[in-house]
Amino acid sequence: MKKLIALGLAALMIAGAAFAAPWGKKKLSKTTVGVSMPTKDLQRWNQDGANMKAKLEAAGYTVDLQYANNDIAMQTSQIENMITKGDKVLVIASIDGSALKSVLDSAKKKGIKVIAYDRLIMNSNAVSYYATFDNYKVGTIQGDFLVEKLNLKNRSASDPAYIELFTGSPDDNNINFFFGGAMDVLKPYIDKGVLVVPSGQTSKAQCATLNWSTEEAQKRMENLITSQGYGPRGKKLDAVYSSNDSCAMGITNALVGAGYTAANFPLVTGQDCDKASVKNMLAGTQAMSIFKDTRTLADKVVGMVDAIMQGKKPEINDTKTYDNGTGIIPSYLCDPVFATTENYKELLLDSGYYTKADLGL
């Protein structure tokens, strides 16, 4: 575990070096960049939008930042307005990765470049680049964490660990990588019988959570508690795999409601290091969360925008992974690391991502 944490901290320090971006001196104040974010309902999208706006403005761009309230029609309309107003580059975190083809066809006709942000936009040849984290690695880190904490390598089928599985919204292409990565790690243990999913719900469709909704995750976890008889005095539950923090919050709420406390709480994974989930980690009701430093991702997108406006090719590091149905999209994958109570101070506080007050410390 300490080795994994050390590697994660090293990766973060390397990524942090990107903050002193060379394009900050360039002034392109007449160039407007449209930034379309899915919703303000999740903390991470507020942070992504704010970081993107601040870094683009610092690089000399005018920024048209819009949030779509998880409404596909609203996002489409907002993007149409950006195209009509003449925004030169669009940075889009899509609500539904398959719903934007028509509006992006219009962008391509006008020569507007499109960068898919964190969520791949599907079935559109208007997408020039994709900036995200290594989403498959997110899943494998979560899976490896559970393998270690549940001691799966040393368990036998006569003494299995018990788990339930949650992933995110079925219209988000990223769950193929989050859930796929985790299951690539966990499935061999399920097949051996040393890791058991009592509900039998192991497919992506069975484990999906519409809109990554905390409320939907809580309802499903409550149903599992009832149907399977989980509880401190009921059927054993060692862990709940959750692809992100908003789902983890709903899972935690349900488990607390069933009487679990920090002394007997199942291991719950997460992603994004939302403030509420970090507080849950400190309280013993969430085991870990993947830290994806949105400052790093924003820096990479600003670099992409700057290269596009100068007629250069942006820096990319992946040309094999992300096929959106029209071909491979050149991508830059930032490196995720994981946070626990052992390393959150270095990752989140010492790096300036959060203050102590943010975490109620």
Side-chain angles (χ1 to χ4, degrees):
M1 174 63 73
K2 290 183 178 178
K3 183 178 179 182
L4 286 172
I5 291 174
L7 289 172
L9 289 171
L12 182 71
M13 291 174 67
I14 292 170
F19 294 165
W23 52 81
K25 295 180 180 179
K26 187 172 180 63
K27 296 300 178 185
L28 295 165
S29 58
K30 293 183 180 180
T31 300
T32 300
V33 178
V35 178
S36 175
M37 291 282 142
T39 181
K40 283 188 172 182
D41 289 344
L42 296 182
Q43 177 195 313
R44 71 144 303 179
W45 294 120
N46 288 307
Q47 289 178 183
D48 279 78
N51 284 333
M52 188 69 55
K53 188 173 189 294
K55 290 183 180 293
L56 283 167
E57 287 178 344
Y61 297 94
T62 299
V63 181
D64 181 6
L65 172 62
Q66 300 290 331
Y67 290 88
N69 198 31
N70 265 337
D71 185 319
I72 296 169
M74 181 182 292
Q75 185 169 49
T76 300
S77 176
Q78 289 172 344
I79 293 170
E80 285 175 346
N81 289 336
M82 291 174 181
I83 294 169
T84 299
K85 288 186 294 184
D87 293 0
K88 300 300 182 183
V89 180
L90 301 179
V91 180
I92 302 171
S94 62
I95 297 169
D96 182 338
S98 300
L100 298 177
K101 182 184 183 305
S102 180
V103 67
L104 294 186
D105 283 347
S106 299
K108 186 173 183 178
K109 288 177 182 177
K110 293 193 174 185
I112 299 170
K113 297 295 185 181
V114 176
I115 300 171
Y117 183 91
D118 203 46
R119 294 177 173 179
L120 185 60
I121 298 169
M122 305 300 293
N123 304 316
S124 172
N125 61 9
V127 180
S128 300
Y129 300 99
Y130 180 35
T132 188
F133 286 83
D134 188 333
N135 296 319
Y136 181 79
K137 187 175 182 179
V138 168
T140 60
I141 291 173
Q142 293 168 326
D144 287 339
F145 178 88
L146 291 171
V147 168
E148 180 178 342
K149 289 298 184 180
L150 295 172
N151 195 29
L152 295 183
K153 291 181 180 179
N154 299 312
R155 297 185 89 119
S156 67
S158 62
D159 179 32
Y162 296 92
I163 192 171
E164 294 291 348
L165 309 169
F166 284 68
T167 192
S169 196
D171 54 11
D172 184 347
N173 184 64
N174 283 349
I175 72 167
N176 296 312
F177 296 92
F178 299 147
F179 192 66
M183 290 303 285
D184 281 352
V185 173
L186 298 177
K187 191 175 184 299
Y189 297 98
I190 294 173
D191 292 343
K192 292 176 184 177
V194 300
L195 184 63
V196 176
V197 183
S199 70
Q201 297 175 12
T202 60
S203 72
K204 181 178 67 176
Q206 290 172 316
C207 301
T209 308
L210 187 62
N211 293 327
W212 297 91
S213 166
T214 295
E215 293 75 20
E216 290 300 315
Q218 182 169 341
K219 289 177 186 177
R220 179 167 171 250
M221 190 69 237
E222 288 171 345
N223 289 337
L224 288 170
I225 290 168
T226 300
S227 63
Q228 299 300 317
Y230 295 128
R233 295 186 178 87
K235 184 186 289 187
K236 184 181 179 185
L237 181 64
D238 296 294
V240 183
Y241 167 77
S242 171
S243 285
N244 89 330
D245 283 350
S246 57
C247 292
M249 181 60 68
I251 293 161
T252 293
N253 291 344
L255 292 171
V256 169
Y260 287 97
T261 67
N264 55 25
F265 217 82
L267 298 172
V268 179
T269 63
Q271 174 185 184
D272 295 329
C273 283
D274 288 347
K275 294 174 188 175
S277 283
V278 176
K279 291 177 182 178
N280 281 347
M281 285 197 293
L282 298 177
T285 57
Q286 185 169 323
M288 62 86 79
S289 183
I290 298 293
F291 179 47
K292 295 160 52 175
D293 194 330
T294 56
R295 297 169 299 184
T296 305
L297 187 56
D299 273 328
K300 292 302 178 183
V301 172
V302 173
M304 283 184 173
V305 171
D306 208 56
I308 288 169
M309 295 311 301
Q310 294 183 51
K312 300 177 181 178
K313 290 185 177 181
E315 179 185 6
I316 58 174
N317 62 6
D318 185 279
T319 56
K320 297 179 180 179
T321 305
Y322 291 95
D323 187 336
N324 78 339
T326 67
I328 298 293
I329 305 300
S331 305
Y332 191 95
L333 311 182
C334 298
D335 207 28
V337 297
F338 71 92
T340 68
T341 55
E342 295 180 48
N343 69 341
Y344 81 95
K345 289 181 180 179
E346 293 92 337
L347 285 178
L348 304 177
L349 296 178
D350 294 350
S351 72
Y353 195 77
Y354 288 142
T355 65
K356 287 186 176 180
D358 288 331
L359 303 180
L361 299 173

